[in-house]
Amino acid sequence: MSENKIPYKIYLEESEMPKAWYNVRADMKNKPAPLLNPGTHQPMTAEELEGVFCADLVAQELDNENAYIEIPQEIRDFYKMYRPSPLVRAYCLEEKLGTPAKIYYKFEGNNTSGSHKLNSAIAQAYYAKKQGLKGVTTETGAGQWGTALSMACSYFDLDCKVYMVKVSYEQKPFRREVMKVYGASVTPSPSMETEIGKKINAEHPGTTGSLGCAISEAVEVAVKNPGYRYVLGSVLNQVLLHQSVIGLETKAALDKYGIKADMIIGCAGGGSNLGGLISPFMGEKLRGEADYEIIAVEPASCPSFTRGVYAYDFCDTGMVCPLAKMYTLGCDFIPSANHAGGLRYHGMSPILSQLYDDGLMKAVSVEQTKVFEAAEQFARVEGILPAPESSHAIRVAIDEALKCKETGEEKTIVFGLTGTGYFDMVAYEKFHNGEMSDYIPTDEELAKYRAKLPKMD
Ligand SMILES: *Cc1c(COP(=O)(O)O)cnc(C)c1O
């Protein structure tokens, strides 16, 4: 099919939507390292994990063998309300940049939660319901995950208890209220409702909380209340599995028009959107069927891939969660004020960590003001107001397209546009007022956190 036939938006028919998620672990020669029990340092058994997570999700978490896992009909029906998401050819951006590169983006912001997180939230809520649970608990920082989970839980009539980092609870009242619209209870963390919350409040009076602390509270509540389990919106293998719907749709849309991507770019916080987007392409790469240049983009203020170490670490600051082998900055690492709330996690998905360590993908870090420059450039020509997180991918897509302009290469670039930025206008305001800083941690600071990694035998 000739080039000018490619539409601005490539949609799939309902019948072309994925019927199974793709599990990239099945094609990995070096499997991601298992989660370890923090006390014994032995691999977590299914039984141990089932105390915290839903049984079906535990099975998915531990499944390194099955390449395809069927998407239950109920989840496929829910997906149909807001999927397939469009794959957009950025004709306007290409023209503005004067690049011979062909740029496509997969837009996941087209649902009320405003991000890709709903893809996994609905799956996790479904399995909780199927198990006959009363409800689930979770933490949220910036609020995207909490919002997505609230929507998913209300759909399945599940109780949803969200522990929201106190500073966000106070500074982001709108997201908090959206969660309440969907019936969730939202508690500022650290609270006085949990042992760990009381302890942290006593030790650090007036603390505004952290993601790691909110995780510890949510896990405690799940473990103590019969009929409740804990759910997490990124990092875990099961989350990347659910997010593979992004990559499968992208690949189906490209295949429909005979387009071959050269380069795939995504922002990386805990790795769920990037892992989902690249999964089927990485599968081809692992099986030796095709090659792609894959780039993870992270903030220079929280550089897990580019300046972290590949080691076992805690997933939370309370050190109650299992240990995961991942690229990490250390579980006590708290990044400087960065407006991309979803990219502030100290660690990275164990699957992506292994793929990166094996040299199958690259990573770059970018500074905040450069990210917002790209966000605005993109908004002005493509119309969509991007989330600060997503704009990390935009920055690198634009930079790569400009390189093509110099070399004359007609590369096909695909990037993930994970969400919209309507709730991030304070960040845009800071950018406009020239009040945005680009704090990059020093080597000494990073070494200090690294020294506290758990000692493994
Ligand atoms: C949470 C979030 C991210 C980062 O999380 P990943 O797990 O790395 O995908 C990126 N973009 C948006 C809009 C988010 O809400």
Side-chain angles (χ1 to χ4, degrees):
M1 202 168 288
S2 72
E3 183 67 19
N4 56 17
K5 290 274 177 57
I6 293 169
Y8 270 72
K9 284 187 186 155
I10 308 179
Y11 278 106
L12 300 174
E13 301 294 328
E14 250 177 49
S15 60
E16 295 169 311
M17 286 172 66
K19 295 180 181 60
W21 291 301
Y22 169 63
N23 179 11
V24 70
R25 284 168 284 167
D27 285 309
M28 290 170 69
K29 271 193 210 77
N30 299 325
K31 307 293 182 194
L35 295 172
L36 298 186
N37 180 307
T40 63
H41 291 188
Q42 293 302 306
M44 292 287 291
T45 62
E47 204 183 345
E48 286 173 318
L49 287 168
E50 282 171 17
V52 181
F53 299 111
C54 305
D56 283 325
L57 293 168
V58 168
Q60 293 179 357
E61 190 63 29
L62 298 175
D63 186 344
N64 285 343
E65 307 306 325
N66 292 303
Y68 288 94
I69 293 172
E70 196 188 317
I71 307 175
Q73 189 62 47
E74 289 88 339
I75 299 174
R76 283 166 57 196
D77 289 344
F78 186 89
Y79 279 167
K80 282 179 200 159
M81 287 199 282
Y82 70 101
R83 310 198 67 81
S85 71
L87 181 69
V88 185
R89 172 78 183 266
Y91 282 118
C92 305
L93 180 64
E94 289 169 21
E95 196 182 312
K96 192 79 178 176
L97 297 174
T99 176
K102 298 170 181 64
I103 309 173
Y104 295 85
Y105 58 90
K106 180 72 168 162
F107 180 49
E108 291 292 319
N110 224 350
N111 68 74
T112 298
S113 79
S115 84
H116 66 287
K117 293 203 171 68
L118 192 55
N119 300 331
S120 183
I122 194 63
Q124 298 195 43
Y126 167 79
Y127 290 114
K129 186 72 183 177
K130 188 173 161 228
Q131 192 170 326
L133 299 177
K134 274 197 234 136
V136 293
T137 70
T138 200
E139 74 293 332
T140 198
Q144 289 98 312
W145 168 245
T147 310
L149 188 68
S150 307
M151 288 176 71
C153 285
S154 72
Y155 183 74
F156 285 122
D157 244 329
L158 280 167
D159 184 33
C160 180
K161 296 187 195 298
V162 181
Y163 288 81
M164 186 170 188
V165 178
K166 195 179 269 171
V167 63
S168 304
Y169 183 91
E170 282 157 9
Q171 288 178 358
K172 301 207 166 185
F174 295 145
R175 275 219 193 273
R176 185 182 76 204
E177 295 309 314
V178 177
M179 287 185 251
K180 290 186 185 169
V181 166
Y182 289 96
S185 73
V186 189
T187 308
S189 165
S191 74
M192 294 303 279
E193 290 174 9
T194 64
E195 294 311 314
I196 187 91
K198 283 181 205 156
K199 181 162 170 267
I200 291 170
N201 273 315
E203 284 170 7
H204 308 276
T207 177
T208 52
S210 71
L211 205 51
C213 161
I215 296 178
S216 304
E217 283 204 276
V219 171
E220 182 184 321
V221 173
V223 172
K224 282 192 180 156
N225 286 285
Y228 282 80
R229 290 293 185 280
Y230 167 72
V231 294
L232 181 64
S234 185
V235 184
L236 296 175
N237 299 342
Q238 53 182 281
V239 183
L240 266 72
L241 175 74
H242 307 147
Q243 294 295 356
S244 71
V245 69
I246 304 173
L248 292 163
E249 282 183 9
T250 302
K251 187 153 166 25
L254 292 174
D255 287 350
K256 199 166 166 176
Y257 284 88
I259 305 159
K260 162 82 171 61
D262 295 304
M263 187 178 265
I264 305 169
I265 300 167
C267 63
S272 74
N273 87 84
L274 178 67
L277 174 64
I278 68 172
S279 273
F281 301 96
M282 184 58 85
E284 288 186 298
K285 193 166 163 150
L286 289 163
R287 297 188 302 270
E289 297 164 7
D291 200 15
Y292 301 97
E293 194 178 346
I294 294 170
I295 307 177
V297 190
E298 55 187 16
S301 58
C302 191
S304 326
F305 268 138
T306 51
R307 295 175 69 203
V309 286
Y310 190 30
Y312 267 105
D313 193 11
F314 288 97
C315 297
D316 63 325
T317 22
M319 301 183 183
V320 296
C321 293
L323 297 167
K325 190 177 181 195
M326 56 188 176
Y327 274 83
T328 180
L329 296 165
C331 73
D332 291 329
F333 179 80
I334 297 182
S336 65
N338 176 295
H339 296 287
L343 304 183
R344 301 189 66 200
Y345 189 61
H346 66 274
M348 185 55 67
S349 137
I351 294 177
L352 292 190
S353 294
Q354 184 63 50
L355 293 168
Y356 179 69
D357 204 58
D358 286 339
L360 291 157
M361 54 183 278
K362 298 179 188 168
V364 294
S365 72
V366 289
E367 291 174 25
Q368 197 168 211
T369 45
K370 298 277 184 299
V371 166
F372 277 80
E373 280 165 21
E376 215 155 76
Q377 193 177 0
F378 181 84
R380 288 178 189 182
V381 290
E382 289 290 325
I384 294 169
L385 177 72
E389 291 88 350
S390 324
S391 305
H392 286 68
I394 299 176
R395 171 76 274 161
V396 173
I398 289 178
D399 290 346
E400 290 295 332
L402 291 174
K403 279 187 209 160
C404 290
K405 187 175 177 176
E406 278 171 29
T407 61
E409 281 174 288
E410 294 186 17
K411 280 189 190 169
T412 296
I413 299 171
V414 175
F415 74 88
L417 188 68
T418 50
T420 46
Y422 301 110
F423 289 112
D424 301 286
M425 295 324 289
V426 171
Y428 276 92
E429 182 186 27
K430 288 232 161 71
F431 173 67
H432 294 145
N433 294 346
E435 294 164 358
M436 188 166 268
S437 63
D438 280 322
Y439 185 77
I440 300 173
T442 62
D443 288 340
E444 290 72 40
E445 278 172 76
L446 293 183
K448 197 179 77 192
Y449 292 107
R450 201 177 295 150
K452 291 199 218 157
L453 285 172
K455 303 277 174 287
M456 308 301 295
D457 24 57

Coordinates of all heavy atoms in Angstrom, one line a residue, residues 114-117 144-145 233-235 267-274 342-343 348 387 389-390 418-420, ligand 1:
G114 N -7.4 8.8 32.2 CA -6.3 9.6 31.5 C -5.0 8.9 31.3 O -4.1 9.6 30.9
S115 N -4.9 7.6 31.5 CA -3.7 6.9 31.2 C -3.9 5.5 30.9 O -5.0 5.0 30.9 CB -2.7 7.1 32.4 OG -3.0 6.0 33.4
H116 N -2.8 4.8 30.6 CA -2.8 3.4 30.2 C -3.1 2.5 31.4 O -3.3 1.3 31.3 CB -1.4 3.0 29.6 CG -0.3 3.1 30.7 ND1 0.2 4.3 31.1 CD2 0.3 2.1 31.4 CE1 1.1 4.1 32.0 NE2 1.3 2.8 32.2
K117 N -3.1 3.1 32.7 CA -3.2 2.2 33.8 C -4.5 1.4 33.9 O -4.5 0.4 34.6 CB -2.9 3.0 35.1 CG -1.5 3.6 35.2 CD -1.0 3.9 36.5 CE 0.4 4.2 36.6 NZ 0.8 5.4 35.9
Q144 N -2.9 8.7 39.2 CA -3.4 8.1 37.9 C -3.8 6.6 38.2 O -4.9 6.1 37.8 CB -2.4 8.1 36.8 CG -2.1 9.4 36.2 CD -0.9 10.0 36.8 OE1 -0.7 10.1 38.0 NE2 0.0 10.5 35.9
W145 N -3.0 5.9 39.0 CA -3.3 4.5 39.3 C -4.5 4.4 40.2 O -5.4 3.6 39.9 CB -2.1 3.8 39.9 CG -2.4 2.5 40.5 CD1 -2.4 2.1 41.8 CD2 -2.9 1.3 39.8 NE1 -2.8 0.8 42.0 CE2 -3.1 0.3 40.7 CE3 -3.1 1.0 38.4 CZ2 -3.5 -1.0 40.4 CZ3 -3.6 -0.3 38.1 CH2 -3.8 -1.2 39.1
G233 N 0.1 -1.1 40.5 CA -0.1 -0.6 39.1 C 1.0 -0.7 38.1 O 0.8 -0.3 37.0
S234 N 2.2 -1.1 38.6 CA 3.3 -1.1 37.7 C 4.3 -2.1 38.2 O 4.0 -2.9 39.1 CB 4.0 0.3 37.6 OG 5.0 0.3 36.7
V235 N 5.5 -2.2 37.6 CA 6.7 -3.0 38.1 C 6.5 -4.5 37.9 O 7.3 -5.2 37.4 CB 7.1 -2.6 39.5 CG1 8.4 -3.4 39.9 CG2 7.3 -1.2 39.7
C267 N 8.3 6.2 27.8 CA 8.8 6.6 29.1 C 8.8 5.4 30.1 O 8.1 4.5 29.9 CB 8.0 7.8 29.6 SG 6.3 7.3 30.0
A268 N 9.7 5.5 31.1 CA 9.8 4.4 32.0 C 9.8 4.9 33.4 O 10.7 5.6 33.9 CB 11.0 3.6 31.7
G269 N 8.7 4.5 34.2 CA 8.7 4.8 35.6 C 8.9 3.5 36.3 O 10.0 3.2 36.8
G270 N 7.9 2.6 36.4 CA 8.1 1.3 36.8 C 8.2 0.3 35.7 O 8.5 -0.9 35.8
G271 N 8.0 0.8 34.5 CA 8.2 0.0 33.2 C 6.9 -0.6 32.6 O 7.0 -1.3 31.6
S272 N 5.7 -0.3 33.1 CA 4.6 -1.0 32.6 C 4.1 -0.6 31.2 O 3.8 -1.5 30.4 CB 3.4 -0.9 33.6 OG 2.8 0.3 33.6
N273 N 4.1 0.7 30.9 CA 3.6 1.1 29.6 C 4.7 0.7 28.5 O 4.4 0.1 27.5 CB 3.3 2.6 29.5 CG 4.5 3.5 29.2 OD1 4.8 3.6 28.0 ND2 5.1 4.0 30.2
L274 N 6.0 0.9 28.9 CA 7.0 0.6 27.9 C 7.1 -1.0 27.7 O 7.1 -1.4 26.6 CB 8.4 1.1 28.4 CG 9.5 0.7 27.5 CD1 9.4 1.5 26.1 CD2 10.9 1.1 28.1
G342 N 4.5 10.0 37.9 CA 4.5 8.6 37.6 C 5.9 8.0 37.3 O 6.0 6.8 37.1
L343 N 6.9 8.9 37.3 CA 8.3 8.4 36.9 C 9.2 8.5 38.1 O 10.4 8.4 38.0 CB 8.9 9.1 35.7 CG 8.0 9.2 34.4 CD1 8.8 9.9 33.3 CD2 7.7 7.8 34.0
M348 N 12.7 -0.6 38.9 CA 12.3 -0.8 37.5 C 11.8 -2.2 37.4 O 12.3 -3.1 38.1 CB 13.4 -0.5 36.6 CG 13.2 -0.5 35.1 SD 11.9 0.6 34.6 CE 12.5 2.2 34.9
A387 N 0.6 14.2 29.2 CA 1.0 14.1 30.6 C 2.5 14.4 30.6 O 3.2 14.0 29.7 CB 0.7 12.7 31.1
E389 N 4.7 12.7 32.2 CA 5.4 11.4 32.0 C 5.6 11.1 30.6 O 6.7 10.8 30.1 CB 4.6 10.3 32.7 CG 4.5 10.3 34.2 CD 3.3 11.2 34.7 OE1 2.7 11.9 33.9 OE2 3.1 11.2 36.0
S390 N 4.4 11.1 29.8 CA 4.4 10.8 28.4 C 5.4 11.7 27.6 O 6.0 11.3 26.6 CB 3.1 11.0 27.8 OG 2.0 10.7 28.7
T418 N 1.3 8.0 26.8 CA 0.6 7.2 27.8 C -0.6 7.9 28.4 O -1.4 7.3 29.0 CB 1.6 6.9 29.0 OG1 2.3 8.1 29.4 CG2 2.6 5.9 28.5
G419 N -0.6 9.3 28.3 CA -1.8 9.9 29.0 C -1.8 11.4 28.7 O -1.0 12.0 28.1
T420 N -2.9 12.0 29.3 CA -3.1 13.4 29.2 C -2.7 14.2 30.4 O -2.6 13.6 31.5 CB -4.6 13.7 28.9 OG1 -5.4 13.0 29.8 CG2 -5.0 13.4 27.5
Ligands
LIG1 C1 2.1 5.8 35.8 C2 2.3 6.5 34.5 C3 3.5 6.3 33.7 C4 4.7 5.5 34.2 O1 4.5 4.3 34.7 P1 5.0 3.0 33.9 O2 4.6 1.9 34.8 O3 6.5 3.2 33.7 O4 4.3 2.9 32.6 C5 3.7 7.0 32.5 N1 2.7 7.7 32.0 C6 1.5 8.0 32.7 C7 0.5 8.8 32.1 C8 1.3 7.3 33.9 O5 0.2 7.5 34.6

